[in-house]
Amino acid sequence: MAGQNIDRCDIAIVGGGLAGGLAALALAAKRPDLDVRLVEPGPVGGNHIWSFFDSDIAKKDRWLVAPLVRHHWPRYGVRFPGHERRLRMGYKSITGEALAEAVAAALPEGHIIADKAKHVAPDHLLLARGGRLSAKHVIDARGAGKFPGLDCGWQKFVGQALTVKGGHGVDHPVVMDAAVEQLDGYRFVYLLPFDAETVFVEDTYYGDDADLDVGAVRERIAAYAAAQGWKVKATTREENGVLPVVVAGDFERLWPASDRTARIGVRAGLFHATTGYSLPDAVRTASVLPALVDRPGLASALRGRAAAAWRRQRFYRMLGAMLFRAAEPETRFRVFERFYRLSPRLIARFYAGRSTTGDKLRLLAGKPPVPVGRAVAALAKFDWR
């Protein structure tokens, strides 16, 4: 693309992360008549692992992620200071490498553009290395941006794949091991056993700020491994990130109506407000995208879907407000400990962002795991938009 004055296509997707990669796969599968380009300066998918529960994705949409799954387990567990539990629920992981391979196989040669967009508009973009790409639709999938108008807590993490001499002994994922020292808010360790000797260990924090000291967290992962008695031979991958946990915010500021460039993924506000989890929404959007791209008002249609999803997330934003405004940082684990005493079906619907009215009443029933006065004050200040 460098040095060209102009190029044209039907769909230009800017950003090759989870949302952009899945969108490219869905369009390639369902609309092979379209010329789709994916603009991404780094490796498609990056160095990421995304995991999901079977119940997160509707059966009609599972075709999209099934080829990407690299690890799967029939159950998972949680650990807290006063409670440990295993839940029989399918859990799967896909990798950035799997996404990259699938996108490379699905798009024609030259349709993945290894460059950065320095300007994005509804019908064209300008590339950092020079050149302009015109399109019937430009879809912005570049991730979070600056989140204008949002009040957030933060979920931040460092994860490493460790090779353990003689094996690690973990036979199922542990999505929250909160029986660890509580630091920087709510801290837990997340474990994925990839094989008998390889375990992915992610040290995660629900903190009040977005600061992440990667070096310090690496040391805590090493200390956690030592406490398990593991003799680590190698670290084969590492990733880190900071995800928003939205407490309050105005969708109109996040995606102003005056911005007529189509958006998907986290940039469109499509993520679980309490967990920062975006895979279910990325799959849902990618699955409907092939049927929407013939519309002249693609951006309007996607914005309408994102606004409706934002309204549905109101309850989860309220839970975020309770977590960050009512709970003391060192006792936030009690909120999740109580949550994991509830029914498996309620837990599954919560992660999928599909809690029923009954679920919501059950989540709020009984004595709250936070000081009552602070809970009342947090609710009084909550922005219900």
Side-chain angles (χ1 to χ4, degrees):
M1 288 295 300
Q4 293 186 20
N5 292 322
I6 191 165
D7 201 354
R8 296 181 182 277
C9 63
D10 294 307
I11 309 293
I13 302 170
V14 186
L18 181 64
L22 290 176
L25 290 178
L27 289 168
K30 300 297 185 180
R31 295 299 306 271
D33 56 305
L34 297 177
D35 181 345
V36 178
R37 312 286 178 91
L38 181 65
V39 179
E40 169 56 51
V44 171
N47 182 35
H48 293 292
I49 296 170
W50 298 280
S51 299
F52 60 95
F53 302 101
D54 285 346
S55 54
D56 288 342
I57 300 174
K59 290 182 179 180
K60 65 181 179 62
D61 295 335
R62 292 178 185 173
W63 65 270
L64 183 57
V65 293
L68 309 177
V69 171
R70 292 297 178 266
H71 307 279
H72 58 87
W73 306 268
R75 65 187 183 278
Y76 73 95
V78 294
R79 300 171 188 157
F80 295 93
H83 178 55
E84 185 170 341
R85 185 180 187 185
R86 292 186 183 184
L87 295 93
R88 182 159 292 279
M89 185 184 303
Y91 196 63
K92 295 180 170 66
S93 290
I94 65 178
T95 64
E97 294 88 345
L99 182 62
E101 291 169 8
V103 172
L107 296 183
E109 185 176 355
H111 283 218
I112 300 175
I113 302 169
D115 202 349
K116 185 176 182 179
K118 65 179 182 180
H119 172 73
V120 177
D123 61 353
H124 73 276
L125 56 95
L126 302 181
L127 298 168
R129 297 178 185 172
R132 170 188 170 116
L133 177 62
S134 296
K136 180 179 178 182
H137 297 297
V138 173
I139 300 175
D140 193 345
R142 289 178 294 174
K146 294 183 179 180
F147 283 121
L150 300 191
D151 183 1
C152 300
W154 302 94
Q155 183 189 156
K156 45 199 178 181
F157 59 88
V158 177
Q160 295 181 334
L162 307 180
T163 303
V164 180
K165 183 179 180 180
H168 47 71
V170 180
D171 65 0
H172 60 271
V174 178
V175 301
M176 287 185 180
D177 180 357
V180 293
E181 184 181 6
Q182 293 300 294
L183 302 166
D184 192 13
Y186 170 49
R187 176 194 177 207
F188 63 91
V189 175
Y190 170 70
L191 304 174
L192 294 176
F194 289 160
D195 58 42
E197 286 200 334
T198 308
V199 60
F200 184 74
V201 183
E202 185 177 279
D203 205 330
T204 303
Y205 304 79
Y206 273 71
D208 295 319
D209 59 56
D211 296 335
L212 178 62
D213 186 338
V214 174
V217 180
R218 284 176 183 152
E219 292 178 1
R220 291 171 195 159
I221 291 174
Y224 182 90
Q228 310 309 307
W230 297 339
K231 296 181 179 179
V232 178
K233 296 191 297 184
T235 299
T236 55
R237 70 182 299 144
E238 180 178 284
E239 63 175 286
N240 63 76
V242 179
L243 304 176
V245 179
V246 179
V247 173
D250 183 358
F251 182 80
E252 298 299 323
R253 289 191 63 193
L254 176 69
W255 186 349
S258 59
D259 183 350
R260 300 184 182 279
T261 301
R263 299 187 191 185
I264 60 174
V266 175
R267 201 172 193 89
L270 290 168
F271 55 89
H272 196 297
T274 309
T275 66
Y277 192 42
S278 64
L279 188 146
D281 280 304
V283 173
R284 291 169 198 148
T285 302
S287 294
V288 301
L289 193 57
L292 297 178
V293 292
D294 288 328
R295 299 185 183 184
L298 176 64
S300 178
L302 289 173
R303 186 177 182 277
R305 289 178 58 87
W310 186 265
R311 291 191 293 272
R312 289 194 298 271
Q313 286 284 321
R314 191 178 292 128
F315 175 76
Y316 303 112
R317 290 196 292 278
M318 183 269 291
L319 294 181
M322 296 286 284
L323 181 66
F324 283 95
R325 292 175 176 169
E328 295 288 352
E330 66 274 11
T331 62
R332 285 175 185 160
F333 74 91
R334 292 175 181 166
V335 174
F336 293 91
E337 186 175 47
R338 178 181 182 273
F339 170 73
Y340 265 107
R341 293 182 184 274
L342 301 174
S343 81
R345 290 185 178 181
L346 180 151
I347 292 168
R349 289 190 292 267
F350 173 87
Y351 278 116
R354 293 172 173 160
S355 298
T356 66
T357 300
D359 292 342
K360 295 173 184 178
L361 292 173
R362 182 68 185 88
L363 283 164
L364 298 176
K367 182 181 178 181
V370 298
V372 174
R374 294 186 63 166
V376 171
L379 287 175
K381 295 178 181 178
F382 181 66
D383 181 353
W384 290 95
R385 285 181 292 180

